[in-house]
């Protein structure tokens, strides 16, 4: 009897981390209404890697370990792409959130030069080159769209919008009006005799080309501009709200910041922004999706189609990297930079926020300006609670402070 040789399997056997036994419906409700608390409780029970099963996303591996986060962030985008569904269902198929692999790399390369040019009036002028009626229209449309879209981002999108009085109907109508404004702005920019010298981001996008000489479509430009506004304005504003909430409850830090601003320094101010981004993390997870048949994650082997979520909030509270992590302590970063894979408010790897450097610069300028022109009153009021706005976490009362002009 002849023996038939068989080729050994090259793919390792699937080995999954522990999974919560909560019913799928309870997992969905907990994730949608109290995500941070749920992840924290499950991490205490199951350790730094565990599984969820959510109606919208399917099976998810939650990662709370900085070393495994480093592995995920340094893995090729050919193996790990963006989670499905993602924010592109709100921002549009032309958004960078919708792209993976080569298309994602090319779009980031196209967008990167624009990110050095970006509060709401300033961003509308810098991004859109908007003035007059268009500026007023965008000022009216963008805030309610961002607020509602953030809340709807964590629930499934229906096949139809159920009319103009439903949340999805309102989003669609605001988006339609937004697209009309963008079309007018594009036409006006291209008709400008000084178009080649314009420095707003819309003009930069219109002039930019891919390696093959092609340009972005109008729809893609509209989607990307909306992405910049959503990711840039909402998260930066939320972080600034936490900045003011934190420093009013830490009078020693506040006094040091005022003295530094008056003397032209910035080290403590930068450290304060870094600590707020850690201690009051606005975006609490960074997602990926497995493309190959299996993906080796530490000792675990994850099959194709599963999603990975790096829990930014849990990693930011790791006492190995941040002693006494619940304590608000900007001095952690005086003369010392935070760990690249333990301090990750902007995510990491090829999908790290493209506007991270500008966001930090914007927060620094706003905080410095307020400190120089106003006296901020410290308070003994209880700290503001976390408030989930779908994607972002904000202070419950918006970072309320009492100020007097200096």
């Amino acid at each position: 009897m002849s023996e038939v040789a068989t080729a050994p399997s090259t793919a390792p056997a699937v080995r999954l981390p522990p999974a919560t036994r909560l019913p799928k419906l309870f997992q969905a409700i907990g994730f949608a209404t109290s995500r941070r608390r749920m992840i924290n409780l499950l991490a205490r029970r199951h350790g730094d890697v565990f599984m969820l099963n959510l109606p919208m996303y399917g099976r998810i591996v939650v990662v709370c370990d900085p070393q495994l986060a480093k592995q995920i962030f340094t893995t090729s985008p050919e193996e790990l792409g963006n989670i499905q569904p993602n924010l592109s269902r709100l921002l549009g198929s032309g958004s960078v959130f919708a792209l993976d692999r080569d298309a994602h790399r090319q779009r980031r390369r196209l967008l990167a030069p624009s990110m050095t040019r970006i509060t709401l009036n300033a961003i509308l002028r810098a991004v859109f080159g908007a003035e007059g009626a268009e500026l007023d229209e965008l000022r009216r449309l963008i805030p309610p769209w961002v607020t509602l879209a953030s809340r709807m981002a964590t629930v499934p999108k229906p096949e139809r919008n159920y009319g103009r009085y439903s949340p999805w109907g309102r989003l669609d109508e605001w988006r339609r009006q937004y697209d009309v404004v963008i079309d007018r702005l594009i036409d006006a920019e291209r008709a400008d005799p000084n178009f080649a010298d314009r420095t707003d981001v819309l003009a930069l996008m219109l002039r930019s080309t891919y390696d093959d000489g092609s340009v972005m479509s109008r729809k893609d430009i509209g989607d990307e501009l909306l992405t910049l506004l959503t990711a840039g304005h909402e998260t930066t504003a939320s972080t600034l709200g936490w900045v003011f909430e934190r420093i009013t409850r830490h009078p020693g830090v506040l006094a040091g910041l005022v003295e530094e601003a008056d003397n032209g320094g910035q080290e403590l101010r930068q450290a304060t922004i870094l600590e707020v981004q850690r201690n009051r993390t606005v975006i609490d997870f960074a997602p990926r999706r497995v493309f190959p048949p299996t993906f080796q994650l530490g000792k675990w082997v994850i099959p194709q189609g599963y999603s990975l979520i790096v829990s930014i909030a849990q990693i930011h509270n790791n006492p190995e990297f941040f002693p006494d992590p619940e304590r608000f302590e900007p001095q952690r970063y005086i003369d010392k930079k935070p760990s690249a894979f333990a301090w990750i408010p902007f995510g990491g790897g090829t999908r790290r926020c493209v506007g991270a450097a500008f966001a930090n610069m914007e927060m620094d300028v706003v905080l410095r300006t307020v400190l120089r022109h106003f006296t901020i009153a410290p308070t003994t009021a209880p700290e503001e609670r976390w408030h989930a706005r779908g994607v972002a976490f904000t202070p419950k009362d918006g970072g309320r402070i009492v100020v007097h002009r200096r």
Side-chain angles (χ1 to χ4, degrees):
M1 182 181 295
S2 61
E3 295 185 0
V4 178
T6 58
S9 174
T10 57
V14 170
R15 185 183 183 193
L16 296 173
T20 177
R21 295 182 179 180
L22 287 172
K24 189 174 182 179
L25 178 61
F26 286 11
Q27 294 182 51
I29 294 173
F31 194 83
T33 62
S34 188
R35 187 170 64 240
R36 295 176 67 97
R37 186 168 182 268
M38 174 185 175
I39 296 298
N40 184 45
L41 291 173
L42 291 177
R44 291 181 182 181
R45 175 174 296 181
H46 299 295
D48 285 342
V49 186
F50 57 89
M51 283 183 52
L52 298 175
N53 188 10
L54 302 176
M56 188 163 65
Y57 299 108
R59 298 189 182 277
I60 292 176
V61 177
V62 180
V63 177
C64 309
D65 179 273
Q67 293 303 317
L68 294 182
K70 178 179 180 180
Q71 180 190 342
I72 290 171
F73 290 150
T74 56
T75 294
S76 165
E78 302 300 320
E79 295 186 66
L80 296 180
N82 201 11
I83 194 172
Q84 295 293 337
N86 54 56
L87 289 177
S88 65
R89 66 200 179 99
L90 297 168
L91 300 170
S93 58
S95 165
V96 69
F97 285 105
L99 306 177
D100 276 310
R101 296 173 171 160
D102 284 343
H104 180 258
R105 280 192 292 267
Q106 291 171 10
R107 180 64 60 79
R108 280 185 67 96
R109 193 157 54 239
L110 192 73
L111 292 175
S114 304
M115 293 305 98
T116 58
R117 284 151 169 102
I118 310 231
T119 136
L120 185 58
N121 288 353
I123 201 173
L124 289 175
R125 289 189 177 96
V127 174
F128 296 96
E131 296 177 331
E134 285 80 14
L135 178 62
D136 291 340
E137 188 75 357
L138 290 170
R139 189 188 289 129
R140 179 185 69 82
L141 290 170
I142 296 300
W145 191 96
V146 169
T147 299
L148 183 56
S150 294
R151 290 170 178 162
M152 303 306 294
T154 57
V155 299
K157 185 176 182 179
E159 293 295 323
R160 59 190 181 92
N161 65 32
Y162 294 99
R164 62 178 179 169
Y165 296 112
S166 71
W168 296 108
R170 294 204 301 275
L171 286 174
D172 286 349
E173 175 58 21
W174 287 331
R175 177 56 196 260
R176 185 194 67 76
Q177 295 176 40
Y178 163 86
D179 286 336
V180 170
V181 178
I182 295 302
D183 276 341
R184 291 205 306 263
L185 287 172
I186 289 175
D187 290 339
E189 295 233 355
R190 285 180 170 158
D192 186 347
N194 298 315
F195 173 65
D197 299 321
R198 293 184 67 115
T199 58
D200 55 87
V201 176
L202 176 56
L204 293 172
M205 285 186 175
L206 290 169
R207 294 198 301 264
S208 296
T209 60
Y210 292 105
D211 292 341
D212 63 358
S214 62
V215 298
M216 292 176 66
S217 68
R218 284 188 176 223
K219 181 185 182 306
D220 285 359
I221 288 175
D223 290 350
E224 285 296 5
L225 291 175
L226 192 56
T227 300
L228 294 180
L229 278 173
T230 304
H233 172 65
E234 172 80 352
T235 55
T236 303
S238 298
T239 303
L240 278 168
W242 281 120
V243 168
F244 292 113
E245 190 276 344
R246 291 287 79 199
I247 64 176
T248 57
R249 287 158 176 80
H250 294 82
V253 174
L254 176 56
L257 287 168
V258 173
E259 181 181 3
E260 181 186 68
D262 288 345
N263 294 328
Q266 67 172 24
E267 185 178 36
L268 178 59
R269 190 168 63 249
Q270 282 291 313
T272 299
I273 292 170
L274 294 177
E275 179 66 347
V276 169
Q277 289 173 308
R278 181 202 70 82
N279 186 256
R280 291 295 187 268
T281 305
V282 170
I283 303 296
D284 63 323
F285 67 85
R288 297 291 190 274
R289 187 171 181 84
V290 176
F291 285 156
T294 58
F295 175 70
Q296 182 95 37
L297 178 66
K299 66 180 181 180
W300 310 109
V301 180
I302 315 301
Q304 186 180 62
Y306 277 49
S307 295
L308 309 174
I309 282 182
V310 175
S311 177
I312 299 173
Q314 286 296 116
I315 291 174
H316 280 179
N317 280 288
N318 188 319
E320 180 181 344
F321 293 89
F322 306 103
D324 195 6
E326 295 296 325
R327 179 181 175 85
F328 178 71
E329 189 177 350
Q331 287 74 17
R332 298 176 196 273
Y333 312 111
I334 301 296
D335 298 325
K336 185 173 70 172
K337 290 184 177 181
S339 167
F341 292 100
W343 185 89
I344 48 174
F346 297 105
T350 59
R351 305 200 79 94
R352 185 177 188 269
C353 175
V354 71
F358 182 86
N360 268 4
M361 181 181 69
E362 186 179 18
M363 287 186 282
D364 181 79
V365 170
V366 171
L367 181 55
R368 181 189 65 199
T369 302
V370 172
L371 291 168
R372 287 180 174 177
H373 294 278
F374 296 89
T375 297
I376 301 175
T379 181
T380 57
E383 61 185 33
E384 292 189 30
R385 292 180 294 171
W386 298 89
H387 174 63
R389 289 184 60 173
V391 176
F393 285 85
T394 67
K396 183 67 170 66
D397 298 319
R400 185 176 299 173
I401 62 174
V402 175
V403 298
H404 306 279
R405 187 173 292 278
R406 296 179 71 175

